[in-house]
Amino acid sequence: MSSKLQLTTLAVLVSAALPAQAALYKVVEVTPGVSGSEYYGTAIQPSPIADNTTFPKGCFEKDCGLGTDYKLAGETRDRPDGFSYREEVPFAMDNSFGYIEDDYDGFEDYCFFQLGYATCEYWASDRWSSWSNETYGSDTPNSLAFIEGTAKAPAGAINTVINSFSKASGSVNTIGNYSTSSKRNEVFSDVANADILTKPQSRAWASDGTYVVGSTSTKSGVGDNRYYYSSSPAIWDASNLISIARAGGSEKDGDYYSQGSMRDFYIDTTAFYGVGYNNYNDQHMNATIFVASSTDPMTATWSQKQISGAEVDAGDDNTNTNSVATNINKNLVVVGQAKRSGSYPQNGAAANRLFVVENVNSPSAHFFDGTDGSIFFNGAGGEMGGINNYNEIVGRIDSENHREYDGKQRRQRAFIYPYGLTSKVTDSTEQAAITDRKAIFQNKAWLLDDLTNDGSTTGNNQYRIYDATDINDAGVISATAVMCPGGYDSTAHNAYCDDGNGDETVVAVKLVPIVDEAQRNIEPRIYESTASERQGAGLGFGALTLLGLFGFMRKRIK
């Protein structure tokens, strides 16, 4: 018997001898209703305001069963995106379009200069093949969007992505964009506006049923116009469409084109707050907070503030390639990410670092760097998912900290970070709710795999949660998991699927909080010492490429 099998068997016996625990979440696999090789969760339906008031602990005190009241939106993939169907420019930073202009060599150059992996030939080959097919080949869809069993496909759509559900309480309307034979991106939302449909290219990111935010572009990005277009942050209602002016630079500066996008918003009693990025001097794409002088964004005067520490030129040099604020909640807490430049790696990686901003009036990025003793570490990379009104943040983060530059990609896993009280939370009832919910997580961040460990070798153990893309106020999370039918060989983080011979698949899942406090428990998963022996047997396209795919696919992966 091999040492690998001995240790795996021992882990199963040990876990079987432990007291039963029900973890914090049930993992609920979603039926897509469309056909694809892999299924990804991208957004979760908002919970009704009345429920949030009655049940401030959400599904931790209201029995939500399998989460059927909260629909999950998702997408398929049969291959990686050439570059993201969501982003305004390739790799969220190539505003000269130089990398994709050079075809395969450009993809390899991006990987070599901006990611630094030792496996750039493999990385580039997959993505160039997909981009070439989309640009020069067939119109066969790669991304089919769905809402739990029902396809979401606008007429004429080729590739469709869902960025969010409408913010309207309990809404089942989704917001996103799709490609056609003549446009790389066209919007769909719950607000019809004739003007936005006349634009050469547009993207929709968030809506409340009255206003939609996103971006518009000057060319379609398809065929002969696939390169060299600029974009602007945009907001529209049923009658009006406005674009936010550049914060600096010009529409075209040498080989570089100005870019901007609004990704999310919140309206309080006095102002409209939008978040995203805009164009600054030297064509820098910097995370930005947009502020309208009144609650009517169509007639208001706009100001904008870049987020300190997340700028391209943070420090003495161009430390980052780009940055974006992805989400804002009613407490005016903002989250986002900044991609470290390949010329200035940190802790061995040119990572996409995650940050939070507590003060929108004087915005400064606090990066998730582990100074609070959490799962994060200096130079950790990932992708921001979202934040709810209880200041609970989800996304994915590096779960390994080896050197990526001139090495291999780090594995990543989904996380939840109960950030806790912030200065804008002044109501005593809301303060108590945020404090009580944070205590459920022992007042710290976790990999979600640790919170789904129910001590069994079936059930939740069939899933390893790779990405968390959204969280509603009830605490239900949209996510993507790698699944081993029947369960992994043990409950360990790095357990094998059928001793390395099983067929793992990529599936969309909801994580639903367990209501019975007596059954809730946190039992962190262990790491088996034989991980270095794993050869990747039984791993399909998804399990092998998940590490890199989402960085160029998700909103957001909101």
Side-chain angles (χ1 to χ4, degrees), residues 168-190:
S169 179
S171 174
V172 293
N173 294 316
T174 51
I175 317 303
N177 50 273
Y178 62 98
S179 61
T180 69
S181 58
S182 60
K183 287 187 178 183
R184 178 165 172 83
N185 284 286
E186 182 67 275
V187 303
F188 63 87
S189 73
D190 54 347

Side-chain angles (χ1 to χ4, degrees), residues 229-300:
Y229 52 81
S230 61
S231 63
S232 302
I235 179 170
W236 61 93
D237 60 16
S239 304
N240 306 285
L241 166 67
I242 63 171
S243 295
I244 309 298
R246 291 183 298 275
S250 55
E251 182 173 8
K252 183 178 185 297
D253 184 0
D255 294 333
Y256 296 89
Y257 291 77
S258 66
Q259 307 294 334
S261 177
M262 196 179 296
R263 300 295 177 85
D264 197 10
F265 67 95
Y266 180 75
I267 307 173
D268 70 5
T269 57
T270 61
F272 181 108
Y273 295 90
V275 298
Y277 74 90
N278 209 349
N279 198 85
Y280 290 81
N281 291 337
D282 297 321
Q283 306 302 89
H284 289 171
M285 300 160 61
N286 289 339
T288 298
I289 296 172
F290 306 94
V291 183
S293 58
S294 73
T295 58
D296 181 358
M298 298 304 169
T299 60

Side-chain angles (χ1 to χ4, degrees), residues 88-101:
E88 280 75 21
V89 294
F91 317 125
M93 58 78 66
D94 184 17
N95 55 353
S96 73
F97 301 89
Y99 285 121
I100 62 166
E101 183 183 31

